[in-house]
Amino acid sequence: MKKEGVILILYQGKSRKFIIVLLSLYTCLTLYFLFLGFDRSSARPDQGWRYSLTPEGIPLHFPMGRDFKIWFFEMGNFVAFIPFGMVIPLLFRCGFIRFISIFILCITMLETVQMISRLGAFDIDDILINTLGAAVGYGAQRIIKHHRNTLKGFIQIFLTAIIFSIGTITVVGGLNHYLDNVDGKSVALNELVSSDGAVVWDEELSSFTVGQTNVEPQINLYSREKQNTNEFSYLLNGKYKNMKGYFAIPDDVVRTASNETITINFIADGTEIYSLVVSANSGENHPDSFQTPLKGVKELTIKVITDGSNLMTNIVMWDITLTEPNTGQKFINSIKSMF
């Protein structure tokens, strides 16, 4: 037991006091950024208590394609708490469970104070990333068994923490990239059975021109042979996360119906979630795309309204697909549904 105590309780005498002073100063600096830094104390409208109690994931992403400020804050929330995991167990004897439990309690209290003081928000994701940083620091100091109370040993701990951090960022960032950017199975809209209304699909996938550009649909084509008002619905049962496709007014429509307006409404469970309004007299006629989220939608209704008397002058939509969540997203959604 004495030998174990030598391993776990380090830095005695002056060196111990010096490190405690450094840790205290670092803690004060961290508290400054948590409560006063980044212009938190500037006057702003009272927004009340802000909080997020539902975990959305570990906020640690690769910097590519992300806003630098958001990525910088994420990285800071991770890196800033690594020293606590490195140093505190070297000063005070504590196992991982005890250390991480006390750390979570402290960081939860700080998040609560941020919320109450209106200098920040209580965010469960912040607690997760802060705790991950502290755990990385703890693991780095535990893996070094010898000379831990010397400068050489501390340098080894520091370098190990860097390696662990890079590994953690790679694993968590890669997982987040998969969850955020990798789609699951895609299904063509025309493969689903319409539950309400009549929709006509062009079985031949006829080509047409838009702005003198030839368009050749590859998956499906919403037929132009329809009434001025056409409404149809599909039962999705919450299986899909988004829908995307293309729309345009063919050139022959622009020539024959210069004042026509076409509206497409996407209605999810009785609530309009997306709308397209296009005029045939547009001077810049070109194919355009649309995308709308469908997370949790049980029934999708598409309503096409043509403001005109010519039944053949409706807008066309093509290559409309619905995308399912990938395996990881399905797993996370199932966990969230439990809460």
Side-chain angles (χ1 to χ4, degrees):
M1 183 64 68
K2 183 177 180 180
K3 183 178 180 180
E4 181 69 13
V6 172
I7 292 176
L8 291 175
I9 304 177
L10 304 177
Y11 300 112
Q12 303 300 320
K14 293 183 178 180
S15 61
R16 179 181 178 85
K17 293 180 180 179
F18 177 71
I19 292 178
I20 289 178
V21 170
L22 287 182
L23 180 62
S24 300
L25 292 175
Y26 184 78
T27 302
C28 291
L29 181 64
T30 304
L31 292 174
Y32 169 79
F33 282 111
L34 283 175
F35 292 97
L36 300 176
F38 308 108
D39 202 28
R40 292 180 186 270
S41 59
S42 61
R44 66 178 66 185
D46 187 0
Q47 300 176 342
W49 287 1
R50 293 177 292 147
Y51 54 88
S52 174
L53 302 179
T54 304
E56 297 295 333
I58 301 177
L60 193 62
H61 299 79
F62 295 141
M64 295 79 72
R66 297 186 65 81
D67 181 88
F68 176 79
K69 185 177 180 180
I70 295 176
W71 174 83
F72 180 80
F73 277 114
E74 286 183 351
M75 193 61 58
N77 276 335
F78 170 67
V79 173
F81 292 87
I82 294 177
F84 294 104
M86 292 171 52
V87 177
I88 291 177
L90 294 175
L91 296 172
F92 308 98
R93 182 175 179 176
C94 57
F96 178 75
I97 299 300
R98 183 181 180 187
F99 166 75
I100 213 68
S101 298
I102 295 176
F103 180 86
I104 292 175
L105 176 61
C106 292
I107 202 65
T108 301
M109 291 174 60
L110 290 175
E111 288 284 317
T112 303
V113 173
Q114 275 190 316
M115 177 185 68
I116 295 175
S117 64
R118 293 178 171 78
L119 294 175
F122 184 100
D123 194 334
I124 194 69
D125 289 343
D126 284 348
I127 296 176
L128 289 175
I129 191 62
N130 297 160
T131 303
L132 182 61
V136 166
Y138 186 95
Q141 60 84 27
R142 286 297 290 163
I143 203 171
I144 303 300
K145 299 295 185 181
H146 304 288
H147 311 295
R148 302 204 308 164
N149 59 339
T150 65
L151 178 61
K152 177 182 177 181
F154 190 81
I155 291 176
Q156 290 177 336
I157 293 173
F158 179 77
L159 294 177
T160 302
I162 293 177
I163 295 173
F164 280 11
S165 298
I166 293 174
T168 301
I169 293 170
T170 301
V171 172
V172 177
L175 179 61
N176 283 331
H177 177 79
Y178 165 71
L179 294 175
D180 294 340
N181 300 292
V182 178
D183 290 333
K185 178 182 177 182
S186 292
V187 177
L189 183 60
N190 59 301
E191 294 179 7
L192 303 181
V193 178
S194 177
S195 63
D196 181 33
V199 56
V200 180
W201 296 97
D202 187 332
E203 300 294 339
E204 299 181 357
L205 298 181
S206 306
S207 61
F208 52 92
T209 61
V210 179
Q212 307 303 317
T213 299
N214 189 56
V215 176
E216 296 183 356
Q218 302 297 313
I219 301 175
N220 51 41
L221 173 62
Y222 178 62
S223 176
R224 296 165 59 186
E225 297 179 2
K226 50 191 175 289
Q227 300 298 317
N228 287 49
T229 299
N230 194 22
E231 182 175 341
F232 47 98
S233 301
Y234 294 95
L235 292 177
L236 306 184
N237 297 319
K239 288 180 55 178
Y240 304 97
K241 70 173 186 177
N242 61 45
M243 178 177 65
K244 57 186 177 180
Y246 300 88
F247 69 96
I249 304 175
D251 287 339
D252 61 308
V253 174
V254 175
R255 289 191 294 269
T256 59
S258 59
N259 295 318
E260 187 175 55
T261 298
I262 304 100
T263 303
I264 306 177
N265 294 326
F266 297 93
I267 303 168
D269 299 330
T271 302
E272 183 179 308
I273 58 173
Y274 195 72
S275 180
L276 302 172
V277 180
V278 188
S279 177
N281 62 4
S282 173
E284 298 181 359
N285 192 34
H286 57 81
D288 209 343
S289 62
F290 68 89
Q291 180 168 321
T292 182
L294 297 175
K295 184 178 179 180
V297 174
K298 293 180 173 56
E299 183 178 44
L300 173 70
T301 299
I302 301 175
K303 187 174 183 179
V304 182
I305 304 173
T306 301
D307 181 19
S309 58
N310 188 344
L311 300 184
M312 296 292 291
T313 56
N314 285 309
I315 195 171
V316 292
M317 295 183 290
W318 69 96
D319 293 351
I320 309 171
T321 58
L322 297 89
T323 304
E324 297 181 0
N326 59 40
T327 302
Q329 292 165 342
K330 289 180 180 179
F331 175 76
I332 290 177
N333 291 338
S334 65
I335 297 297
K336 289 183 178 180
S337 66
M338 297 172 59
F339 296 95

